[in-house]
Amino acid sequence: LFNISLLIIILTDFTMAMKDILFVFSLLIASALSQRKNFWLEFAKCNDTFFPVSIYGSTGSYLTTYHGPSGVACGGDPLTRGLFQPRTRGPRNFLKVAVTGANPWNLYSIYFLPVGGDPVSDKVFVGEFMTDAAGDTGGSVWVKDCSSTFTPTCFTSTSRSGRVDMSRLGFTIPASGQFLVYSRGISKKDLDGDGIYETWKTSDNTASGTMNNPTLWGTGIGYDGVQFISAWS
């Protein structure tokens, strides 16, 4: 009887030890998977958030720097749905975006604002994306920096060339803050007023020409309002 009792105690201890080992092992697996998980971050129209009534958007630095005391900090672009997806590949960190229902053929610029940062002085340029004739991205596309080849072809290509590695942008990843999306205007022209944009607004009216979209801030024509906002933590 003593030996049986001792055997039961030993088996019980062994079982508990194995459970502890399996628990720790499962935590390690979960941790590894969470670091590779491609999660989606939904973003909203600026006017649907607290940004326009916050200290920056109502009376603070963002409003007074770009709009004056009687201005509006948010833009008015439409949006059905928008999603960001940080993609980690080893030491590199890329970003994908999926948009439906925004302005057609629109070029959008993305900036990252760390928690506690000033949206005027602390925002960090991430990259840009372009919508199609329906105001969509046609699924998820890479956020790119096409400043060296500023052409529609760079943005509309499915190639990974030009995609942004956020680990090189000067902020720590994983990061806590907000993605702020701004509009640089429509990239095509409607020549006959039928609502269809036929020709690129480029140096030679082709997809390989240099784009002439307005720059943000200081142009005097309103390309400085926050269109969409998404949190990242």
Side-chain angles (χ1 to χ4, degrees):
L1 182 62
F2 174 77
N3 290 336
I4 294 176
S5 300
L6 180 60
L7 179 60
I8 292 174
I9 293 173
I10 292 173
L11 289 175
T12 301
D13 290 344
F14 176 77
T15 302
M16 294 179 64
M18 287 301 299
K19 287 183 178 179
D20 290 340
I21 292 172
L22 290 173
F23 177 70
V24 172
F25 186 63
S26 65
L27 287 179
L28 291 174
I29 293 176
S31 177
L33 290 175
S34 67
Q35 292 177 21
R36 295 184 58 84
K37 184 179 179 181
N38 298 318
F39 56 93
W40 289 97
L41 308 170
E42 189 154 8
F43 54 88
K45 290 184 287 187
C46 178
N47 280 317
D48 292 339
T49 72
F50 289 106
F51 187 84
V53 296
S54 68
I55 182 63
Y56 294 133
S58 59
T59 59
S61 61
Y62 190 84
L63 183 76
T64 56
T65 300
Y66 296 133
H67 301 273
S70 60
V72 180
C74 292
D77 280 18
L79 178 70
T80 301
R81 193 179 189 191
L83 298 165
F84 283 126
Q85 185 186 48
R87 300 287 292 267
T88 298
R89 294 294 181 270
R92 299 182 296 174
N93 293 271
F94 304 107
L95 186 65
K96 300 198 83 171
V97 61
V99 165
T100 56
N103 275 337
W105 299 116
N106 207 96
L107 180 64
Y108 287 101
S109 292
I110 304 166
Y111 284 76
F112 178 71
L113 179 66
V115 168
D118 186 295
V120 175
S121 57
D122 295 328
K123 62 184 182 298
V124 179
F125 176 69
V126 176
E128 295 176 310
F129 67 93
M130 184 186 296
T131 57
D132 59 17
D136 306 337
T137 54
S140 63
V141 298
W142 296 107
V143 173
K144 296 184 176 182
D145 182 358
C146 294
S147 54
S148 60
T149 53
F150 194 47
T151 65
T153 299
C154 179
F155 290 107
T156 57
S157 170
T158 57
S159 168
R160 297 184 179 187
S161 175
R163 63 178 179 167
V164 175
D165 181 359
M166 295 188 292
S167 61
R168 299 182 178 182
L169 299 182
F171 55 86
T172 302
I173 296 177
S176 293
Q178 297 173 320
F179 288 115
L180 306 177
V181 182
Y182 305 84
S183 170
R184 291 188 61 184
I186 295 174
S187 303
K188 275 192 167 183
K189 293 180 285 188
D190 177 7
L191 298 178
D192 52 14
D194 62 354
I196 300 174
Y197 297 90
E198 302 95 349
T199 305
W200 290 105
K201 292 181 181 179
T202 62
S203 57
D204 60 2
N205 296 325
T206 71
S208 58
T210 302
M211 299 171 68
N212 57 16
N213 292 64
T215 58
L216 297 173
W217 307 295
T219 62
I221 52 176
Y223 291 98
D224 49 19
V226 180
Q227 301 291 344
F228 315 129
I229 298 177
S230 175
W232 184 27
S233 178

